[in-house]
């Protein structure tokens, strides 16, 4: 079966750096996505990794190790507006199967002044 | 370009009632999908479609029907609503390897 694990909650201080981990065990692998979701809103795309290594996009970076089934999302220079849930999702079908994703439970990040 | 549009935004039903959640996208995406989101459980795939006339089941399809008569529309039907179907429902669309775009969600309560 599919299993994607991430911490339920994290707290960090404004201006600091926080790392949100995600581990996965899926029947196949064709890419890992990170989404941000503010309370009461739709998920919005943050980053995508399909090869091992680090992808950097402004204050956000995402890392992938396929051999370890592990990814992390790194948020630098935290701002209050970064308080949200962060969803890790795996595309686990080699044939794309409609680009469908399996999601973890999400990590709720609270940024404090 | 409106993206993915879901209607209604909120709905309250009584047990046993049926209803259709609407989803439309104007990006000519071939892929569309429905997820439900419950506290602590993340997003779970209900049904998906890889193109007009083609649908398939996801992780939690029981109690739901879908159809895809056009590229733009992908309605989700609850046949006989049950309290266990109280949730937030998200529709998403995508193309190729690109990330999916999500609608704003429908908050559904079944009494």
């Amino acid at each position: 079966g599919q299993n994607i694990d991430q911490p339920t909650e994290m707290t960090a201080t404004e201006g600091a750096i926080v790392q949100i981990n995600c581990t996965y065990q899926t029947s196949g692998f064709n890419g890992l996505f990170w989404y941000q979701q503010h309370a009461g809103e739709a998920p919005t795309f943050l980053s995508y990794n399909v090869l091992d290594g680090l992808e950097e996009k402004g204050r956000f970076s995402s890392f992938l190790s396929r051999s370890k089934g592990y990814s992390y999302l790194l948020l630098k220079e935290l701002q209050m507006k970064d308080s949200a849930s962060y969803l890790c999702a795996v595309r686990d079908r080699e044939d794309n199967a409609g680009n469908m994703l399996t999601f973890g439970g999400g990590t709720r990040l609270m940024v404090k002044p | 370009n409106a993206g993915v549009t879901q209607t209604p935004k909120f709905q309250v039903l009584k047990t046993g009632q049926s209803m259709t959640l609407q989803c439309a996208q104007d990006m000519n995406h071939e892929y569309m999908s429905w997820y439900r989101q419950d506290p602590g459980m993340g997003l779970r795939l209900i049904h998906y479609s890889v193109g007009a006339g083609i649908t398939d089941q996801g992780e939690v399809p029981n109690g739901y029907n879908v159809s895809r008569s056009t590229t733009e529309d992908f309605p989700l039907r609850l046949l006989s609503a049950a309290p266990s179907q109280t949730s937030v429902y998200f529709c998403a669309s995508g193309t190729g390897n690109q990330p999916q775009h999500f609608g704003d969600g429908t908050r559904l309560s079944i009494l």
Side-chain angles (χ1 to χ4, degrees):
Chain A
Q2 323 290 35
N3 194 31
I4 300 175
D5 289 320
Q6 46 182 137
T8 305
E9 286 188 356
M10 298 183 71
T11 302
T13 304
E14 190 176 16
I17 299 173
V18 70
Q19 177 175 313
I20 302 174
N21 296 325
C22 172
T23 58
Y24 64 89
Q25 293 173 305
T26 56
S27 55
F29 182 82
N30 194 16
L32 187 143
F33 295 78
W34 284 96
Y35 281 82
Q36 181 189 59
Q37 186 178 27
H38 284 100
E41 297 183 8
T44 55
F45 169 72
L46 282 179
S47 70
Y48 168 62
N49 296 73
V50 66
L51 299 176
D52 291 351
L54 189 68
E55 293 284 340
E56 297 187 80
K57 192 185 289 187
R59 293 190 299 116
F60 294 2
S61 304
S62 58
F63 171 82
L64 174 67
S65 169
R66 288 172 296 170
S67 63
K68 295 181 179 177
Y70 168 70
S71 173
Y72 67 72
L73 179 70
L74 194 70
L75 290 74
K76 303 175 187 175
E77 301 169 15
L78 279 172
Q79 302 175 8
M80 298 299 292
K81 67 178 182 179
D82 296 330
S83 293
S85 289
Y86 292 85
L87 313 178
C88 174
V90 172
R91 188 165 60 203
D92 53 17
R93 292 282 297 268
E94 296 294 334
D95 63 358
N96 243 11
N99 203 12
M100 295 308 113
L101 301 174
T102 300
F103 283 84
T107 299
R108 188 167 66 183
L109 174 67
M110 288 174 281
V111 179
K112 296 188 174 180
Chain B
N1 190 337
V4 180
T5 303
Q6 291 184 234
T7 56
K9 295 193 183 306
F10 301 93
Q11 184 70 49
V12 179
L13 292 178
K14 294 182 180 178
T15 298
Q17 286 185 313
S18 63
M19 84 159 291
T20 299
L21 307 186
Q22 301 292 343
C23 176
Q25 53 96 4
D26 60 0
M27 297 172 283
N28 201 33
H29 287 168
E30 65 271 32
Y31 305 135
M32 295 188 75
S33 54
W34 278 102
Y35 296 87
R36 59 178 290 173
Q37 187 173 36
D38 302 297
M41 299 191 73
L43 287 150
R44 292 183 292 167
L45 182 64
I46 305 171
H47 285 285
Y48 66 96
S49 169
V50 299
I54 306 170
T55 64
D56 206 345
Q57 296 181 350
E59 181 186 354
V60 287
N62 292 341
Y64 307 95
N65 272 356
V66 291
S67 59
R68 184 95 181 270
S69 56
T70 66
T71 299
E72 294 78 20
D73 299 300
F74 191 45
L76 178 73
R77 282 181 287 276
L78 280 71
L79 308 173
S80 177
S84 61
Q85 293 178 305
T86 293
S87 188
V88 181
Y89 291 84
F90 287 100
C91 178
S93 74
T95 182
N97 284 331
Q98 298 304 308
Q100 294 184 36
H101 296 259
F102 285 83
D104 288 337
T106 295
R107 283 144 187 84
L108 183 62
S109 293
I110 316 289
L111 305 178

